Amino acid sequence: MLIAGNWKMFKGPDETREFCARLRARLHNLEGVDVIVCPSFPSLHDAVGMLATTEMAVFAQNTHWAKEGPYTGEVSPWMLKEMGVGGTLVAHSERRQLFGETDESAALRIEGALDAGLHVIACVGETEEEREAGETESVVRRQVDAIRTVVEDENLDRLAIAYEPVWAIGTGRTATPDQAEEVHELIKRHLDVPVLYGGSVKPENAEELLGQPDVDGALVGGASLEVESFAAICEAASRS
Ligand code: PGA
């Protein structure tokens, strides 16, 4: 099981240090779960330092694809690797919806991050309109195919997919366990890597979602911002 907390644009370095100290104490004897936190760029260094002596990993929320170059405002995956960051999210739906991320740019980022030696959690998921139009399967397949084309077989062990239905993110509306399982099963038929569910995962619904056969973990937004709720989800994962 893998539980990743996506902090989005919350928690600067001070709050990050405090959170990591409490999380470390809270989860020190948790077994059977890989725990990841994904802070904003300015907080990565503190998170890496605070969690260095633990099994927990720190991932970025995004990355450029190039090693270096004239790309003002961008961050290279090689720089992330150098600072001890273990991996990165790519193509979160907020990147797709608000910042022009496409299947093509997502593929470049995934390729660059894997080349740099990072792990990748690549996000896919349909919008509400797409689900209502019966397009969930074709949209998710298209997104997964775009990812598949750039990942060499030897790098597959550093890739996970997060299925995050856009209508369930930050809305309090969660996919039912059956809805999640159906799409996870579809993704795994195309690409045999761990598939995390994301979208309003909370301590109250984690156990049921994580109990589905093809749900290998969760990407948690809102509920990852408090130590108690994030730790409770990690504990639910260790029981699943
Ligand atoms: P949420 O966010 O858990 O707040 O719905 C999930 C995500 O955006 O990764």
Side-chain angles (χ1 to χ4, degrees):
M1 281 279 160
L2 196 164
I3 303 293
N6 171 15
W7 293 357
K8 310 194 179 187
M9 203 172 72
F10 295 94
K11 297 192 194 299
D14 290 347
E15 242 188 287
T16 293
R17 283 194 303 280
E18 192 196 326
F19 183 98
C20 290
R22 290 180 51 214
L23 189 68
R24 212 166 54 183
R26 181 74 167 70
L27 293 182
H28 72 278
N29 51 14
L30 186 76
E31 284 184 358
V33 188
D34 293 323
V35 178
I36 296 169
V37 294
C38 309
S40 304
F41 289 125
S43 298
L44 287 171
H45 175 76
D46 289 85
V48 168
M50 292 297 293
L51 299 179
T53 56
T54 74
E55 302 277 296
M56 292 186 246
V58 178
F59 279 26
Q61 297 173 13
N62 192 21
T63 182
H64 194 266
W65 46 86
K67 185 167 187 179
E68 57 187 8
Y71 304 112
T72 304
E74 293 294 320
V75 173
S76 152
W78 298 81
M79 296 174 187
L80 295 170
K81 178 78 179 163
E82 182 183 336
M83 65 188 291
V85 168
T88 183
L89 305 179
V90 171
H92 186 276
S93 71
E94 285 152 14
R95 302 297 320 166
R96 290 183 190 262
Q97 295 210 300
L98 305 173
F99 301 101
E101 187 82 86
T102 61
D103 287 345
E104 291 71 32
S105 58
L108 287 169
R109 290 182 213 286
I110 292 165
E111 202 174 14
L114 291 172
D115 278 354
L118 295 174
H119 286 72
V120 169
I121 299 175
C123 305
V124 302
E126 80 288 0
T127 62
E128 182 151 38
E129 298 75 60
E130 288 163 343
R131 176 161 282 263
E132 277 168 9
E135 292 166 4
T136 300
E137 178 165 347
S138 60
V139 167
V140 171
R141 242 199 103 151
R142 188 200 74 220
Q143 294 169 335
V144 172
D145 283 346
I147 295 166
R148 182 69 190 99
T149 51
V150 291
V151 182
E152 316 259 351
D153 287 348
E154 75 217 34
N155 290 335
L156 275 175
D157 62 345
R158 283 187 283 119
L159 177 70
I161 302 274
Y163 168 56
E164 300 203 304
V166 177
W167 47 270
I169 294 180
T171 57
R173 286 175 62 197
T174 319
T176 64
D178 285 350
Q179 283 172 325
E181 171 58 24
E182 192 182 349
V183 181
H184 281 229
E185 197 264 333
L186 162 85
I187 294 170
K188 287 188 155 197
R189 255 190 283 133
H190 293 294
L191 190 52
D192 188 17
V193 296
V195 183
L196 318 181
Y197 171 77
S200 299
V201 176
K202 310 180 216 24
E204 303 81 64
N205 59 22
E207 196 139 357
E208 208 184 354
L209 286 160
L210 294 169
Q212 299 305 303
D214 292 306
V215 175
D216 303 308
L219 179 55
V220 186
S224 74
L225 295 174
E226 298 296 332
V227 171
E228 264 320 303
S229 47
F230 188 56
I233 294 168
C234 295
E235 284 162 352
S238 94
R239 291 192 295 272
S240 295

